[in-house]
Amino acid sequence: MSLLKFTDYGIYCEKGDFFIDPLKPVKKALITHGHSDHARPNSKYYLAHNDSIPVMKLRLGNHIKVQGINYAEVKQINNVKVSFHPAGHILGSSQIKVTDGKETWVVSGDYKLEDDGICTPFEPVKCTHFITESTFGLPVYNWEDQEVIFNDINRWWQKNKQEGKNSVLFAYALGKAQRLIKGLDKSLGEVFLHGAVWNVVESDKKNYKFDININPINKDTPTAKFKQQLIVAPPSAFGSPWMRKFNPYTTGIASGWMAIRGMKRRRAVDTGFVMSDHADWKGLLKAVKESEAENIFVTHGYTDIFSKYLQEQGYNSHVVATHINWTDANQNDL
């Protein structure tokens, strides 16, 4: 019997009697990171990296019973040992290692290999079985260095200022938004944050420290304050009445999906910036190789294509079906 198995409730370890990123409420849940598709409500007990706890409490409630763990700290749960290792996706994101001395599994959660300057950078973890995401598991997805993207964003902001427009930049409220704020040119002005973004930053002030001046947006904020400044908001705010206060404005979005021609038009934004908090094609392949795993399990995204390619390269690769359509470009955390 395998140490981990895939069930309707998610990834389950029978020897340890716990689930990893369960899909439904369970007795004991180990959480790779704080995004809502991984950290779900109503489980009785959670174990997560210490840096994930503030946002988990923000989103799941202060009442949750959650225990923190540091990277590389080993915890014995019944008959197995577990440890959390940096995934580089967002603050606190972790790969979870589970071993019983015979098999060693690593559940990647979501990950990226580029150091974003906010979360602890990805570290490869040796194992016999590696469960990897494949959100961007196509060769077309190859990210440029983030400094190139930041330069593009800052030039866009500067151009908008010269034209007398406000700049509204859409990005997922947890992870992407904070990464973008850190890369903005503080000499260009101030940054105003949608409430969803502001709440994430406020939930963990000790980790979110920015050189640029950031401000919350509320109903009493004078519209004159927004003049020629940059506003960071989640994609859900696009087209809402909330946007009227920023006229005249131009819109941009930061997403890995912008690598596909026509996606900017589908999103109806003025400008698209190709930036993702997930690994690109080369990053996925590097992570698989450096795991040195004998068995690869591919989930979330272009699973069939990525798994088939791994098989052609000599890996023992398998597809794991999920209930989520990860190729849907409406996913906002990508």
Side-chain angles (χ1 to χ4, degrees), residues 129-130 132 288 291 293-298 310 315-318:
H129 300 69
F130 184 49
T132 178
V288 168
S291 75
E294 302 164 9
N295 302 283
I296 311 297
F297 298 86
V298 183
L310 292 177
Y315 290 97
N316 184 22
S317 179
H318 312 270

Side-chain angles (χ1 to χ4, degrees), residues 268-287:
V269 292
D270 300 314
T271 304
F273 302 101
V274 182
M275 178 179 283
S276 178
D277 289 335
H278 292 253
D280 62 2
W281 174 258
K282 292 180 181 178
L284 292 169
L285 292 176
K286 183 177 182 182

Side-chain angles (χ1 to χ4, degrees), residues 31-151:
I31 304 299
T32 60
H33 65 284
H35 278 147
S36 59
D37 54 307
H38 292 260
R40 293 177 170 85
N42 299 323
S43 286
K44 292 184 178 180
Y45 164 88
Y46 297 92
L47 178 66
H49 187 270
N50 286 305
D51 288 343
S52 290
I53 293 177
V55 76
M56 287 177 62
K57 287 187 174 182
L58 172 68
R59 294 186 164 190
L60 304 181
N62 282 318
H63 65 280
I64 63 170
K65 185 177 181 181
V66 56
Q67 180 180 356
I69 189 171
N70 293 317
Y71 287 132
E73 178 183 347
V74 178
K75 183 176 180 62
Q76 184 88 24
I77 302 180
N78 296 330
N79 297 316
V80 300
K81 293 180 179 179
V82 302
S83 54
F84 285 53
H85 304 267
H89 176 57
I90 64 170
L91 192 64
S93 61
S94 305
Q95 304 170 81
I96 298 179
K97 177 181 176 181
V98 183
T99 184
D100 64 355
K102 298 177 181 178
E103 295 178 357
T104 300
W105 290 66
V106 169
V107 181
S108 74
D110 295 335
Y111 64 92
K112 70 174 182 294
L113 274 61
E114 184 174 28
D115 181 0
D116 62 14
I118 292 181
C119 59
T120 304
F122 177 92
E123 294 179 6
V125 184
K126 303 291 190 295
C127 56
T128 57
H129 300 69
F130 184 49
I131 303 175
T132 178
E133 61 140 312
S134 62
T135 305
F136 291 105
L138 289 179
V140 68
Y141 294 112
N142 283 293
W143 314 141
E144 290 190 271
D145 290 343
Q146 63 184 0
E147 293 305 319
V148 174
I149 309 304
F150 288 143
N151 288 337

Side-chain angles (χ1 to χ4, degrees), residues 200-231:
V200 170
V201 174
E202 284 290 288
S203 74
D204 195 358
K205 292 181 179 179
K206 70 180 177 64
N207 280 313
Y208 292 125
K209 297 177 180 178
F210 307 108
D211 293 334
I212 199 164
N213 187 18
I214 57 173
N215 312 270
I217 298 171
N218 54 57
K219 62 180 181 179
D220 299 321
T221 306
T223 56
K225 278 186 167 291
F226 304 129
K227 188 176 181 181
Q228 300 177 10
Q229 305 303 336
L230 189 142
I231 297 96

Side-chain angles (χ1 to χ4, degrees), residues 149-186:
I149 309 304
F150 288 143
N151 288 337
D152 288 343
I153 293 172
N154 287 319
R155 281 194 293 267
W156 171 74
W157 184 10
Q158 178 67 58
K159 178 176 179 292
N160 296 337
K161 285 172 64 72
Q162 293 170 351
E163 295 176 353
K165 297 178 181 178
N166 297 323
S167 304
V168 183
L169 183 60
F170 296 107
Y172 193 67
L174 171 58
K176 181 75 64 63
Q178 293 75 39
R179 183 182 179 188
L180 291 172
I181 295 167
K182 185 175 180 60
L184 293 172
D185 184 349
K186 63 181 179 181

